[in-house]
Amino acid sequence: MTQRASRLMAFIGASAALLGAATAVLFFFQPWRSCPYEDTSVGCAMLPRDAAVMVTALGIAIIGAGMVVVGRLQSRQSRAVRSP
């Protein structure tokens, strides 16, 4: 893998990890939710589809973090191979 490809992989992974983590946090706090038995949105029960979105976002964040690690390791490995 070339240096450019490994950097691109790390960038895409970081973007996916950031977006996944932000989505998971957003769905955890649910600022749009309101319920008659609680005065804050955090106290309202999470709907099954909201939970599915949050779990999917966490999975994307973990996969993105893995892509960052692999991209950085590939970058270091390609630099080590090139240097005498």
Side-chain angles (χ1 to χ4, degrees):
M1 183 177 285
T2 65
Q3 182 95 12
R4 181 176 176 180
S6 61
R7 283 186 181 173
L8 180 63
M9 183 177 182
F11 175 76
I12 291 171
S15 299
L18 181 65
L19 287 173
T23 303
V25 169
L26 180 69
F27 271 80
F28 179 76
F29 288 114
Q30 302 180 22
W32 61 87
R33 176 111 26 237
S34 64
C35 52
Y37 56 86
E38 186 67 39
D39 57 349
T40 63
S41 62
V42 178
C44 296
M46 182 179 279
L47 299 175
R49 288 186 180 171
D50 292 343
V53 169
M54 190 173 89
V55 169
T56 303
L58 285 172
I60 290 171
I62 291 170
I63 291 170
M67 286 177 62
V68 170
V69 169
V70 170
R72 296 298 293 162
L73 288 175
Q74 289 291 332
S75 174
R76 288 183 184 176
Q77 188 179 29
S78 67
R79 268 187 282 166
V81 170
R82 288 184 197 171
S83 60

